Amino acid sequence: MHKTFPEFKLQDGEYLFVIPSGCRGCNEHVLNYLADHPDVIAGKYQAVLFSADTKRLIPASAFSKVQNVLCDNTNKLDRMDFGIDGVAILKIQNKRIVAYKCFAVNDMKGDVKDFFISIP
Protein backbone atom coordinates (compact mmCIF):
# COMPACT_ATOMS: atom_id res chain seq x y z
CA MET A 1 0.00 0.00 0.00
CA HIS A 2 2.88 2.34 0.76
CA LYS A 3 4.23 1.95 -2.80
CA THR A 4 0.85 2.69 -4.38
CA PHE A 5 -0.09 5.57 -2.04
CA PRO A 6 3.24 6.90 -0.65
CA GLU A 7 1.70 10.06 0.82
CA PHE A 8 -0.99 8.16 2.77
CA LYS A 9 -0.20 7.11 6.35
CA LEU A 10 -1.71 3.82 7.46
CA GLN A 11 -3.59 4.23 10.74
CA ASP A 12 -5.67 1.99 12.95
CA GLY A 13 -9.30 1.94 11.92
CA GLU A 14 -11.55 0.70 9.16
CA TYR A 15 -10.95 0.95 5.43
CA LEU A 16 -13.59 0.55 2.73
CA PHE A 17 -12.45 -1.32 -0.38
CA VAL A 18 -14.34 -1.52 -3.67
CA ILE A 19 -12.87 -4.10 -6.04
CA PRO A 20 -14.51 -5.66 -9.11
CA SER A 21 -14.43 -9.29 -7.94
CA GLY A 22 -17.35 -11.01 -6.28
CA CYS A 23 -21.04 -10.77 -7.06
CA ARG A 24 -21.58 -8.13 -9.72
CA GLY A 25 -25.21 -7.65 -8.70
CA CYS A 26 -24.20 -7.12 -5.06
CA ASN A 27 -21.53 -4.62 -6.06
CA GLU A 28 -23.93 -2.66 -8.25
CA HIS A 29 -26.61 -2.70 -5.56
CA VAL A 30 -24.35 -1.33 -2.83
CA LEU A 31 -22.73 1.26 -5.14
CA ASN A 32 -26.16 2.51 -6.21
CA TYR A 33 -27.14 2.70 -2.54
CA LEU A 34 -24.01 4.69 -1.72
CA ALA A 35 -24.65 7.06 -4.63
CA ASP A 36 -28.10 7.78 -3.17
CA HIS A 37 -26.82 7.94 0.46
CA PRO A 38 -23.26 9.35 0.40
CA ASP A 39 -23.52 10.37 4.07
CA VAL A 40 -23.63 6.69 5.14
CA ILE A 41 -19.83 6.40 4.99
CA ALA A 42 -18.74 9.99 5.57
CA GLY A 43 -16.36 10.16 8.50
CA LYS A 44 -16.37 6.39 9.19
CA TYR A 45 -13.30 5.20 7.32
CA GLN A 46 -9.62 6.02 7.33
CA ALA A 47 -9.79 5.73 3.54
CA VAL A 48 -11.90 4.42 0.68
CA LEU A 49 -9.80 2.49 -1.85
CA PHE A 50 -10.58 1.34 -5.36
CA SER A 51 -8.77 0.65 -8.60
CA ALA A 52 -8.94 2.58 -11.85
CA ASP A 53 -10.96 -0.27 -13.38
CA THR A 54 -13.41 -0.19 -10.48
CA LYS A 55 -13.74 3.59 -10.73
CA ARG A 56 -15.67 3.14 -13.97
CA LEU A 57 -18.38 1.29 -12.00
CA ILE A 58 -18.73 3.90 -9.26
CA PRO A 59 -21.24 6.74 -9.58
CA ALA A 60 -19.37 10.02 -9.13
CA SER A 61 -21.65 11.07 -6.27
CA ALA A 62 -21.02 7.88 -4.23
CA PHE A 63 -17.99 9.27 -2.41
CA SER A 64 -18.59 13.00 -2.74
CA LYS A 65 -18.69 13.55 1.05
CA VAL A 66 -15.80 11.23 1.87
CA GLN A 67 -12.23 12.29 2.58
CA ASN A 68 -9.23 10.11 1.72
CA VAL A 69 -10.64 8.53 -1.41
CA LEU A 70 -7.68 6.71 -2.96
CA CYS A 71 -7.70 5.44 -6.54
CA ASP A 72 -5.09 2.84 -7.48
CA ASN A 73 -4.27 3.71 -11.08
CA THR A 74 -2.07 0.59 -11.37
CA ASN A 75 -5.03 -1.75 -10.65
CA LYS A 76 -2.88 -3.71 -8.16
CA LEU A 77 -5.71 -3.69 -5.61
CA ASP A 78 -7.75 -5.89 -7.94
CA ARG A 79 -5.05 -8.58 -7.82
CA MET A 80 -4.07 -8.46 -4.14
CA ASP A 81 -5.11 -11.38 -1.97
CA PHE A 82 -6.77 -9.79 1.07
CA GLY A 83 -9.47 -12.48 1.24
CA ILE A 84 -12.09 -9.95 0.17
CA ASP A 85 -14.37 -9.49 -2.82
CA GLY A 86 -16.47 -6.64 -4.12
CA VAL A 87 -17.34 -4.07 -1.47
CA ALA A 88 -15.53 -4.87 1.76
CA ILE A 89 -14.41 -3.35 5.03
CA LEU A 90 -11.02 -4.14 6.55
CA LYS A 91 -10.19 -3.33 10.15
CA ILE A 92 -6.54 -2.47 10.80
CA GLN A 93 -4.80 -2.50 14.19
CA ASN A 94 -1.06 -2.13 14.64
CA LYS A 95 -0.60 -2.17 10.83
CA ARG A 96 -2.25 -5.62 10.56
CA ILE A 97 -5.62 -6.73 9.22
CA VAL A 98 -7.51 -7.98 12.28
CA ALA A 99 -11.01 -8.35 10.78
CA TYR A 100 -12.91 -7.93 7.55
CA LYS A 101 -16.36 -8.34 6.07
CA CYS A 102 -17.60 -8.40 2.49
CA PHE A 103 -20.96 -7.31 1.20
CA ALA A 104 -22.91 -10.43 0.19
CA VAL A 105 -26.35 -11.51 -1.01
CA ASN A 106 -27.59 -11.87 2.59
CA ASP A 107 -26.83 -8.18 3.17
CA MET A 108 -29.36 -7.27 0.48
CA LYS A 109 -32.18 -8.90 2.48
CA GLY A 110 -32.01 -6.26 5.21
CA ASP A 111 -31.22 -2.57 5.21
CA VAL A 112 -28.03 -2.05 3.20
CA LYS A 113 -26.80 0.60 5.65
CA ASP A 114 -26.51 -2.13 8.33
CA PHE A 115 -23.51 -3.48 6.42
CA PHE A 116 -21.64 -0.24 7.18
CA ILE A 117 -21.89 -0.68 10.97
CA SER A 118 -18.41 -0.78 12.47
CA ILE A 119 -16.70 -4.14 12.94
CA PRO A 120 -16.48 -4.96 16.69
Side-chain angles (χ1 to χ4, degrees):
M1 193 155 141
H2 179 69
K3 289 181 184 178
T4 305
F5 307 109
E7 68 286 348
F8 184 76
K9 293 191 180 212
L10 189 65
Q11 300 176 355
D12 286 356
E14 293 184 357
Y15 293 77
L16 180 65
F17 283 73
V18 184
I19 54 179
S21 60
C23 171
R24 184 178 174 116
C26 293
N27 292 349
E28 289 176 0
H29 183 71
V30 76
L31 289 172
N32 287 335
Y33 177 83
L34 290 174
D36 293 340
H37 304 89
D39 57 317
V40 168
I41 60 174
K44 282 188 167 190
Y45 301 102
Q46 298 298 320
V48 176
L49 299 100
F50 50 85
S51 68
D53 286 346
T54 309
K55 187 176 181 180
R56 293 181 285 130
L57 306 173
I58 300 173
S61 61
F63 303 113
S64 61
K65 293 185 178 182
V66 180
Q67 294 186 18
N68 290 331
V69 176
L70 305 173
C71 181
D72 169 24
N73 292 317
T74 66
N75 291 314
K76 288 179 186 174
L77 283 178
D78 296 349
R79 298 183 302 275
M80 295 184 118
D81 186 16
F82 291 123
I84 60 173
D85 289 313
V87 178
I89 301 169
L90 272 70
K91 185 173 184 175
I92 306 289
Q93 286 181 338
N94 299 320
K95 299 186 180 183
R96 296 192 180 275
I97 298 170
V98 296
Y100 66 88
K101 63 180 176 178
C102 302
F103 188 84
V105 174
N106 288 341
D107 294 309
M108 290 199 296
K109 294 177 183 173
D111 190 339
V112 175
K113 78 176 180 182
D114 291 340
F115 173 75
F116 297 100
I117 293 172
S118 295
I119 299 173

